[in-house]
Amino acid sequence: MNHIKQLFLTIYISLAITYQDHVLASIATTRDIIVPKISEWQVTVVNGLTTSEILFIHCKSKEDDLGEISLRPRDRFSWNFGENMIHSTLFWCYISKDDGHMNVKVFWDDVILFHRCGWKTCVWTAKTDGLYLWNYASGEDVLSEKWEVGW
């Protein structure tokens, strides 16, 4: 009798595992297959100004305020985070220098951005003419936003 109970228990567990695997496999979307699931990201803002200017940055998301930061030339500020489950994570920064400023998104859910960031690290560099994003795919900085004149 114990062998029969053990056999039924084994069959039941096998069916439960098979059913669970089938359900998990069937809920995968095309996006899950095409876009790698990378949950950990890093964003870096670099003061790449050629003058000795201090770069002021204030970055935040809906949930997190990262505070006001002053970067000396060649200094950088980085933070790590996980993208939320509904792919709506958004970080933006107010960035200013002596004669210009900008409000700019530095992370949002976008496959093109993900490719440019190498699927893990977005590196933004403030230069004399604007803000550049390092494009890992092409191996170069790409101008993303020009400075607005004044404060």
Side-chain angles (χ1 to χ4, degrees):
M1 187 70 171
N2 281 341
H3 290 288
I4 294 174
K5 285 183 182 179
Q6 189 174 14
L7 176 63
F8 280 119
L9 182 60
T10 303
I11 292 171
Y12 176 77
I13 290 172
S14 296
L15 287 173
I17 290 171
T18 302
Y19 177 73
Q20 182 180 11
D21 287 345
H22 176 71
V23 170
L24 290 175
S26 68
I27 62 173
T29 65
T30 305
R31 178 185 171 104
D32 294 330
I33 295 165
I34 295 172
V35 179
K37 289 281 190 188
I38 305 295
S39 61
E40 273 300 307
W41 287 91
Q42 182 179 67
V43 172
T44 299
V45 179
V46 180
N47 182 348
L49 298 170
T50 55
T51 61
S52 60
E53 288 180 81
I54 300 294
L55 185 71
F56 172 83
I57 64 172
H58 186 186
C59 300
K60 55 173 87 173
S61 71
K62 188 171 145 183
E63 293 85 21
D64 300 300
D65 185 334
L66 304 177
E68 299 175 358
I69 309 291
S70 295
L71 296 176
R72 294 187 317 230
R74 293 181 296 284
D75 280 354
R76 60 186 53 223
F77 174 67
S78 299
W79 67 96
N80 298 313
F81 58 93
E83 187 179 10
N84 66 30
M85 296 289 286
I86 58 172
H87 303 283
S88 66
T89 302
L90 169 67
F91 278 92
W92 65 93
C93 297
Y94 172 77
I95 305 174
S96 66
K97 62 183 189 108
D98 288 348
D99 60 352
H101 69 278
M102 66 178 68
N103 282 298
V104 63
K105 292 190 300 184
V106 293
F107 184 87
W108 63 98
D109 187 72
D110 180 73
V111 173
I112 294 170
L113 177 72
F114 295 170
H115 279 287
R116 289 179 180 158
C117 294
W119 294 94
K120 65 180 179 177
T121 305
C122 298
V123 179
W124 298 91
T125 303
K127 297 184 181 184
T128 306
D129 59 340
L131 187 67
Y132 287 74
L133 174 62
W134 177 255
N135 186 332
Y136 282 86
S138 67
E140 64 183 350
D141 276 330
V142 177
L143 180 62
S144 177
E145 188 84 21
K146 291 191 173 209
W147 294 106
E148 293 179 39
V149 178
W151 279 86

